[in-house]
Amino acid sequence: MRPPIVVRALVVFAIILGALPPLARANRVGAFGGLNGSVASGGVSCVVCHGAMAGTGMVQILNVPAQYQLNTSYDLIVRVSDPVQVGAGFEISAEDAVGNHIGALILTDPVNTRVAPGLAGFVTHTATGVNNSVINWIALGHAAQYAVRWQAPPADMGPVTFYAAGNAINNNFLVTGDLIYLTNVTTMSPAVVPDDFDGDGDVDLADWTAMVGCLQGPGVMPTNGQCLVLDADQDDDIDLRDVAAFQRNFTGPG
């Protein structure tokens, strides 16, 4: 019988740690699979090697649909930004609630991204990707962007959560001085009723309460990834256009 996901993740992590010298060089060629804080990674992230999360930057997963369609491809962007750092790497996975990898992450930019070694189901950066992030950092607004395609599954697998870790680097080629950011965004099942935030099959005042809490205005990415089920126009914010769509979808309880 296969050991639980968390146990497997921790075993791989222990092997990784055992292979590192006391003052390790940064892993510029990409993170090992299972270091993005996801369920499949057992909650382990890049923080264990690069220090505590800090700073005023962020990592975002852009273009995640509020509700996925079967056998459909989605071109996602992992964006890592920080006002004081000079480049970035990343790791992403797509998982269900118990850590099974759902759908397929497909490389569309093999120059800058690669399949992560170690645990399967993770995509990370290449050394060239990090070097390019340093070159383009200022032009992208003190940020790096990595493209990856997600192929949705052929059957309804329920909600799918994308987990990403972003490592904003100071480019000293060591693990010191880097800043780690984590995020996750959930795309809802095709069977979900649009704007049904609580998943009870209707759009009622309970969902409206959630809408009020998620409403942050145009151009503001919700901090709660589940809010994206209310993003009717799929522009990664919850604004008055989404409120108008909610009103059209309102059914009342039952």
Side-chain angles (χ1 to χ4, degrees):
M1 182 174 66
R2 296 176 68 192
I5 288 173
V6 172
V7 173
R8 285 184 277 128
L10 292 177
V11 168
V12 171
F13 174 63
I15 294 172
I16 293 169
L17 280 185
L20 294 175
L23 184 59
R25 293 176 62 85
N27 198 356
R28 209 168 180 90
V29 298
F32 288 92
L35 291 175
N36 67 342
S38 70
V39 178
S41 67
V44 177
S45 76
C46 309
V47 171
V48 294
C49 289
H50 294 270
M53 289 180 287
T56 56
M58 68 176 71
V59 57
Q60 299 167 281
I61 310 171
L62 306 179
N63 303 331
V64 175
Q67 189 174 19
Y68 67 90
Q69 300 303 312
L70 304 183
N71 280 322
T72 301
S73 294
Y74 298 92
D75 289 320
L76 310 180
I77 298 290
V78 179
R79 178 180 173 88
V80 186
S81 59
D82 190 285
V84 299
Q85 302 292 74
V86 298
F90 83 105
E91 184 170 280
I92 189 173
S93 62
E95 305 174 17
D96 66 12
V98 295
N100 296 309
H101 294 282
I102 304 299
L105 292 174
I106 300 169
L107 301 183
T108 59
D109 181 13
V111 172
N112 294 305
T113 63
R114 60 174 295 203
V115 174
L119 290 180
F122 298 84
V123 169
T124 186
H125 56 269
T126 64
T128 300
V130 175
N131 293 338
N132 285 335
S133 78
V134 173
I135 293 170
N136 298 311
W137 188 254
I138 294 177
L140 287 175
H142 295 273
Q145 295 189 169
Y146 291 95
V148 61
R149 179 170 295 157
W150 180 64
Q151 176 72 34
D156 184 353
M157 303 300 290
V160 178
T161 300
F162 298 91
Y163 295 88
N167 178 11
I169 65 171
N170 59 5
N171 208 35
N172 67 354
F173 289 84
L174 299 172
V175 296
T176 56
D178 296 335
L179 301 176
I180 306 300
Y181 300 103
L182 304 177
T183 194
N184 65 82
V185 179
T186 298
T187 179
M188 303 306 291
S189 159
V192 169
V193 176
D195 285 322
D196 178 17
F197 185 86
D198 55 11
D200 63 353
D202 58 35
V203 180
D204 57 13
L205 290 179
D207 303 301
W208 173 249
T209 300
M211 168 63 82
V212 172
C214 291
L215 184 63
Q216 294 181 272
V220 181
M221 183 80 169
T223 54
N224 178 359
Q226 190 179 351
C227 285
L228 289 176
V229 74
L230 303 172
D231 181 20
D233 54 7
Q234 298 186 17
D235 61 352
D236 295 323
D237 61 32
I238 309 299
D239 57 17
L240 292 180
R241 290 186 296 183
D242 302 303
V243 171
F246 183 95
Q247 292 173 331
R248 293 192 297 269
N249 291 328
F250 189 85
T251 61

